[in-house]
Amino acid sequence: MTRAYKVTYKTYFNERLKTVSFHGKVTHPLYVQVTFDRKTMFFKSYYFELFSKPRYLLLAAGKKKSPSIESIIAMENELIEFVINKTIDDFSLDRFKKLYLYYCRDLCDITEDGIRYYLLTFFSDKGMPALATAITDGSKGKILFDIVQDLKLSLKPDLYSKLIDNSFHYASPYIPLYGFIIEQKKWPLLSLTVREWADLKTKMTFEQYIEQKYPKQDPKSLVERIEMWLKSFKG
């Protein structure tokens, strides 16, 4: 008779490690513990690392606004439950960890460097290397989408249109993805995880957004491109 083992988990603050600053709040790093078949694995919380980044701190009216640790723990638990349910019929700690690392990823975060490199290339090709460097270096730690939006106020309309149109062909899909998510969610939990993207409803809503915001683009082709692009992360 085969014995069935129960999967258990918990998110916890790893007090064995040094404290860190979470947007000015001193805390221990958030970790995940998963146990199965009398074996246990421990690893860093992806969302704690993600939302610790400087761009998730907003200064408004003299006050700091940032994600709460409680909301991060809730996101972490939802993801863990999702992966457990997806792997329960053939569960192993290695398989769990692999799918966790795939489904946790924020699409806006992993496409950001691609659009930053695109901006560097675009403005360098237009004979503005100093501006290219200023934008790419100065955007680190900032919300890159906001910088792209501000460029609309400073660039000639034809140049800005070319910047956006060309990005659909030569850059990562950061601009449409981030634009989509700020219409779907509220600050500060602005992320679009692979787990959310895997939901057909999310893709359909994204296609509707593209049809309205970028009528020149083919929504289905863009979704297919994102799907192909994600395969490189799944392995």
Side-chain angles (χ1 to χ4, degrees):
M1 180 177 178
T2 302
R3 183 176 178 181
Y5 291 95
K6 183 180 179 181
V7 182
T8 60
Y9 74 90
K10 69 174 182 179
T11 53
Y12 67 101
F13 294 103
N14 194 337
E15 296 182 355
R16 294 184 177 183
L17 301 179
K18 293 181 179 180
T19 57
V20 296
S21 176
F22 183 81
H23 301 303
K25 181 179 180 180
V26 177
T27 181
H28 290 280
L30 189 67
Y31 265 62
V32 175
Q33 173 185 315
V34 182
T35 301
F36 176 72
D37 190 13
R38 299 187 296 274
K39 297 178 182 178
T40 300
M41 67 163 43
F42 309 86
F43 53 90
K44 293 180 181 179
S45 160
Y46 173 82
Y47 294 124
F48 184 83
E49 294 289 307
L50 173 67
F51 290 109
S52 293
K53 295 185 177 184
R55 66 173 177 271
Y56 286 101
L57 175 63
L58 177 67
L59 296 176
K63 296 182 179 179
K64 293 182 179 180
K65 295 183 178 181
S66 63
S68 68
I69 292 180
E70 291 76 15
S71 62
I72 292 172
I73 292 174
M75 287 184 66
E76 197 68 63
N77 290 341
E78 287 177 9
L79 172 66
I80 294 169
E81 291 282 354
F82 171 83
V83 177
I84 289 175
N85 290 334
K86 198 168 186 65
T87 58
I88 197 64
D89 292 336
D90 186 26
F91 190 90
S92 72
L93 291 176
D94 288 342
R95 185 164 181 252
F96 171 87
K97 183 66 178 296
K98 181 179 180 180
L99 290 184
Y100 171 93
L101 291 175
Y102 175 69
Y103 283 106
C104 71
R105 292 174 180 269
D106 171 28
L107 272 69
C108 296
D109 185 67
I110 59 180
T111 55
E112 187 183 61
D113 283 342
I115 198 68
R116 183 176 286 112
Y117 179 77
Y118 166 74
L119 291 172
L120 176 65
T121 303
F122 181 86
F123 285 109
S124 295
D125 288 346
K126 298 301 178 184
M128 296 179 276
L131 177 62
T133 302
I135 291 174
T136 53
D137 290 350
S139 66
K140 295 175 182 178
K142 309 295 182 182
I143 299 175
L144 191 50
F145 183 83
D146 290 346
I147 294 175
V148 173
Q149 292 294 96
D150 285 350
L151 287 172
K152 188 174 183 179
L153 302 175
S154 55
L155 297 179
K156 293 181 178 179
D158 288 348
L159 184 59
Y160 182 78
S161 293
K162 185 173 290 187
L163 170 72
I164 300 300
D165 291 344
N166 287 358
S167 73
F168 280 88
H169 303 286
Y170 305 114
S172 66
Y174 170 85
I175 292 176
L177 286 171
Y178 199 96
F180 169 67
I181 206 59
I182 61 176
E183 290 197 359
Q184 302 297 313
K185 297 185 179 181
K186 294 182 179 180
W187 177 268
L189 296 177
L190 293 180
S191 69
L192 178 60
T193 66
V194 175
R195 177 178 72 86
E196 293 171 305
W197 178 257
D199 188 329
L200 180 59
K201 183 178 178 181
T202 299
K203 295 173 186 174
M204 292 175 63
T205 307
F206 178 73
E207 288 183 5
Q208 293 170 1
Y209 167 79
I210 296 299
E211 288 176 351
Q212 296 171 2
K213 191 72 175 180
Y214 304 100
K216 295 181 182 179
Q217 305 301 326
D218 180 4
K220 293 190 180 299
S221 294
L222 180 57
V223 168
E224 290 174 1
R225 181 183 163 208
I226 294 172
E227 289 290 301
M228 291 295 294
W229 182 77
L230 279 174
K231 286 183 179 180
S232 64
F233 290 93
K234 193 169 186 179

